[in-house]
Amino acid sequence: MACWVIKPGGSDNPSQASLLRQIVAGPRLRNPEAGLDLCYVTENIIVTSGPSSTYPQRAYRNPTDALTKFLDYKHGENWAIWEFRAEGTGYPDSEVYGRIHHYPWPDHHPPPFAIIPNIMASMRNWLQDPDVQNGKRAVVVHCKAGKGRSGTIACSYLISEEGWKSEDALKRFTARRMRVGFGEGVSIPSQLRWVKYTDRWTKTGKLYIERQVEILEVHVWGLRDGVKVAVEGYVDQGQTIKTFHVFRKDERIVVDGTADSNEIFSNLAGLKRNKSGAKPRAIMPVGKSTNSNASESINSTPNRSEAVEHTGNEAGGGAVIFCPSSRIVLPTNDINIDFERRNKATYGWTMVTSVAHVWFNAFFEGQNTGLSVEPASSGTFEIQWDAMDGIKGSSKKGTRALDRLAVVWRALDSTSGGLPQIITEPNPGQPVPESKPADWTGAHAEDKTEAKDLGLRVQSPASASVSEANSIKSAKFDEKAADEDNRDDERAGVRPHGPGGEEHIPHSQGAASRPAASEPNLNDSQQGLESSRGDEQHNDAAEGGIKKDGLNAVPGIVGGTKHISTADLPGGRPEHELETATDQMVGAIVKDKDTPMSS
C-alpha cells in the first residue's frame, strides 16, 4: 500500500511550499507581487492572514519575511501591524521591526468592548499623524485567517474614524476579502453584533462605561434533554474566556413542557425554588425587552403549532428557568452564554450533539432605543437558537438544543459593590494603552474553542450534576437543520485585493471552490498534490477519484496549532541541525510504494 514520505533537506519540486500554501488557502487568491494572502480594504487598510516564522507553519502560511519585504516595497517605513491573536502571533516583534501593536483576544469571538476605543485611537494616530503626508501610511491588521477578528476591527475603524455606515463597511470588507458565493466577510453573529455596537458607540459620543454585571436568571424555551448551560466572560485583558458558572440540575425550574412564553410568565409568581424556596425574580414580558437590536429581540410569541414546526423532531421541549444558588458576577459588560448538549453513550463515553453560544454586551443592550447614552441598570437579552454562534466560527451547531433564550441581568453600581469605569477614546496625539501580548510561539495558548465540537467525548463525573431539561430523550437528527448548519467554516472564500480593489491571479474553478482551513489537513493536502501531479502528467483523474491512502497513519502530523518539530517528521532532523535554506525546506514529497503504513 502506498503512502507519502516527507524528506527534509532538498526538494524535487521547487514550488512545493507555494503549493502547500495554495492548499491551505483553498479558495483564497494570491497576491501577484508576493504570492501572499492579503487584501486592501481601502488604500491604507490592509488585512492579511497571520504570518509565521517557524516550520512547518511558514511552509503553508504567509512567511513573515516575505510579508515584510512586500510591505517595505509598497510602503517603505510607513506601515505598522495591529494583531489580535490570543493564541500567539507566530513570529517575534523584532521580525517586523517592532512596528506592531497587540490587542489579542480568542479566535471566533468578539473583542472585549473596552479595548475598542484604544484600538481605534492607535490606528487613527498612526494613519492621521500630522507629521506624515496624508495618505502615505498604512495599517496592517491580522488575526489567524484575516477574516472574523480582522474584519470586525477593519469595519469598526471605517465606522468610527471615517464616518462609514455600518452596512457599507461590512459590504466593503466582504467585497474585498471574499469570493462571490462564499458568504459574508464578517459572518459570526456575535462579531456582527459588536460592529453594530461600535456604530452606536460612535453615534453616542464614543462614551463607554465598563461595569460589573450580575446574571440573575436564564430563561430557556424548548430546552432539550442533556443540555449544559454555562455563563462565561473575559478575564486577563480579554485574552482568556473564563467559565463563571455551570448550572446544575437543582438550579432549574421546569415550568411547562408545552407552555408558551406568556403562560410561563403568568405562572412564575406561584413557583418556588427547589431548595431555598425563593421565588424567581420577575422578568419583563416578551415584547418589552431592553435589547435594542430589533433583529435579535423576541417581539412576538409563536403559537404552539409554530413551536412544533421549529423544533423539528423534538417538539415540546421544556420551558425552564435557571436560578443560580449563588451570585454570578462578571467583571465586565461582555457576557457569553454557552450551550453544549450531550447524549449518554456507553463504556464511559458520551456523544456531543449540539454546541452553540452567544455573546452580548450589557452596556449597549441596556440602552434605550435611539441615541441615548445613559445605559439601563438592568435588562433582558433575548435571542433565537438559529441566531446564535456555531462551532469555531461556523454556522454549524448540530441538533437543536433549545428554541430561544432570555438572560436577565443587572449592572452593579458603587452602592451595590460595583466599580464602574468610564472609558473614552484617547484624543489625537495622546498615548494609547495596549494589551499584554500573548506568547508569540503559542506555547502557553489555551483555546477552549478547539475542544468544542460534535462527536464522542469521555464522560466526566462532574456532568452528573449538569442541568437537563425534561423527560424528552430523543436525539434523532434533524436532517434539514443539519444541512443548513454544515456549511463551510468562517475562513472559506477569502481572497486578496490590491489597493484599487483589483482582484489578483484567478485560479481554476476547482481551486476556487475548495474551502479554506486554519491548519493543513493532510487528506486535503494529498488531494491537492495528487491533482497537481495529475495535471502535470495530463492524466484523466477526476477530483472525486483522488486517493487518500495512508495519510491519517503518518505519525507526528496532526491538525491544530501545535508546533511540530522537523525532527518529528519521517526521516527528519532537528531544527538546530538545519543550516542552509535548502536544509530548511519542508522537503520533497514523493510517493514511496515500498514504505509500510504506520500503525
Side-chain angles (χ1 to χ4, degrees), residues 549-560:
D549 298 326
L551 284 175
N552 292 330
V554 178
I557 310 298
V558 296

Side-chain angles (χ1 to χ4, degrees), residues 205-384:
K206 296 184 177 179
L207 174 67
Y208 178 70
I209 304 176
E210 188 71 280
R211 308 173 296 177
Q212 293 174 288
V213 178
E214 181 179 3
I215 302 300
L216 303 178
E217 293 173 357
V218 175
H219 297 231
V220 184
W221 290 266
L223 187 67
R224 283 22 174 212
D225 187 50
V227 178
K228 180 181 73 174
V229 183
V231 179
E232 300 178 339
Y234 282 124
V235 295
D236 192 23
Q237 297 183 326
Q239 293 192 38
T240 304
I241 299 173
K242 178 181 177 179
T243 300
F244 286 88
H245 189 78
V246 178
F247 287 102
R248 304 187 308 272
K249 295 178 183 178
D250 60 356
E251 295 176 310
R252 62 185 172 89
I253 301 172
V254 179
V255 181
D256 186 352
T258 59
D260 64 19
S261 308
N262 292 331
E263 290 174 344
I264 293 174
F265 290 120
S266 65
N267 291 331
L268 285 182
L271 292 175
K272 301 289 184 179
R273 287 199 51 188
N274 287 345
K275 289 189 175 181
S276 66
K279 294 181 180 179
R281 298 176 179 87
I283 179 174
M284 63 181 61
V286 172
K288 297 183 180 180
S289 169
T290 58
N291 182 355
S292 60
N293 192 333
S295 64
E296 293 155 3
S297 298
I298 304 173
N299 294 320
S300 61
T301 301
N303 58 40
R304 297 186 186 183
S305 62
E306 290 174 335
V308 170
E309 180 181 353
H310 285 292
T311 55
N313 293 324
E314 294 186 297
V320 177
I321 302 170
F322 293 99
C323 300
S325 57
S326 59
R327 296 180 67 187
I328 307 173
V329 178
L330 282 75
T332 70
N333 290 307
D334 306 306
I335 300 166
N336 185 43
I337 308 298
D338 185 80
F339 297 93
E340 183 181 80
R341 185 184 183 190
R342 297 192 177 198
N343 290 336
K344 187 175 182 180
T346 185
Y347 300 111
W349 292 88
T350 183
M351 176 67 72
V352 178
T353 59
S354 300
V355 174
H357 69 273
V358 58
W359 283 92
F360 69 94
N361 184 286
F363 176 80
F364 295 102
E365 295 299 334
Q367 288 181 353
N368 296 320
T369 56
L371 300 180
S372 172
V373 180
E374 187 66 26
S377 59
S378 63
T380 307
F381 173 79
E382 303 180 56
I383 192 170
Q384 300 275 4

